[in-house]
């Protein structure tokens, strides 16, 4: 199996960097897209630079934030109503979301397309879509995690948003995360109830995390003895630096190819 990083905040060489996340999962005769980044241009450019085509067998969204979903406009603009691959998304991903005054939810045109899409797969519980690929479903939040001041619209009012639609996928024995808004420890603990786990790749959402929380996560990860730890996207400089001396650490960026 293989995971290729298509969109990330950091890129190497010829690839384009942009805040957001997208990865290609290859497993024998299947090719799955996990998240789409934040716009069609960067998505398409990196796809071409990587020598990949767009013949995906499915798309999985980690959660309903624009920097993970809005690159899906590439498919709408190119194929429109001819799209037929399954799209997996949590049932709570379609809410209107804000960070302060800024709208950060799924673009309205994409949201409307997906709501009416003939092959939409609504997820809440874990879903095993192949022998080597499991979608987490809703992640229990039993361990401490730090949150940001995200809000959603409910009954016409802004209310606190814990981003309950946050999901990851397990690729063989590796967690591939979009943002881990549920907290890194909660994600790993949930994953261990679904499968054997030997590593984690993706956003750890610790860009504004306290030193205490970063150290808590590091101590927890050290106890897991993972073969691979590759923080990206929203992990943040301080957390990435702190984790960089761990066994199994690999700096993540667009162009990374992980053999699983």
């Amino acid at each position: 199996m293989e995971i290729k990083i298509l969109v990330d905040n950091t890129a190497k060489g010829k690839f384009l960097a942009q805040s957001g996340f997208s990865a290609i999962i290859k497993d024998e005769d299947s090719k799955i897209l996990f998240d789409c980044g934040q716009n069609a241009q960067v998505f398409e450019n990196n796809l071409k630079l990587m020598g990949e085509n767009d013949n995906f067998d499915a798309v999985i969204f980690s959660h309903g934030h624009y920097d993970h979903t809005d690159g899906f406009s590439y498919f709408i603009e190119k194929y429109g109503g001819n799209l037929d691959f399954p799209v997996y998304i949590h049932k709570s991903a379609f809410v209107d979301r804000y960070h302060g005054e800024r709208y950060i939810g799924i673009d309205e045109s994409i949201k409307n397309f997906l709501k009416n899409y003939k092959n939409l797969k609504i997820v809440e519980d874990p879903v095993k879509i192949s022998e080597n690929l499991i979608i987490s479903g809703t992640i229990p939040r039993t361990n401490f995690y730090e949150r940001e001041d995200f809000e959603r619209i409910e009954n016409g009012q802004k209310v606190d948003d814990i981003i309950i639609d946050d999901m990851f996928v397990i690729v063989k024995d590796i967690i591939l995360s979009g943002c881990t808004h549920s907290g890194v420890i909660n994600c790993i603990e949930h994953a261990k109830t679904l499968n054997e786990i030997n590593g984690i790749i993706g956003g750890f959402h610790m860009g504004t995390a306290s030193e205490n929380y970063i150290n808590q996560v590091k101590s927890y990860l050290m106890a897991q003895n993972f073969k691979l730890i590759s923080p990206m996207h929203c992990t943040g400089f301080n957390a990435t630096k702190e984790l960089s001396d761990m066994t199994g650490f690999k700096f993540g960026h667009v162009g990374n190819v992980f053999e699983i």
Side-chain angles (χ1 to χ4, degrees), residues 170-190:
I170 302 172
V171 183
K172 197 172 180 179
D173 62 351
I174 302 296
I175 296 168
L176 178 61
S177 66
C179 271
T180 60
H181 284 292
S182 305
V184 178
I185 296 173
N186 287 323
C187 287
I188 295 172
E189 286 299 301
H190 180 49

Side-chain angles (χ1 to χ4, degrees), residues 184-185 188-189 192 197-200 204 206 212-230 239-249:
V184 178
I185 296 173
I188 295 172
E189 286 299 301
K192 290 195 294 188
I197 300 298
N198 287 306
I200 183 168
F204 292 7
M206 297 196 290
N212 284 342
Y213 180 63
I214 292 172
N215 289 333
Q216 178 185 349
V217 170
K218 183 177 183 179
S219 295
Y220 173 83
L221 287 171
M222 289 177 66
Q224 306 308 305
N225 295 313
F226 283 163
K227 64 182 181 183
L228 176 62
I229 299 172
S230 187
T240 301
K241 180 176 179 291
E242 187 62 37
L243 299 175
S244 65
D245 62 356
M246 294 185 60
T247 301
F249 176 88

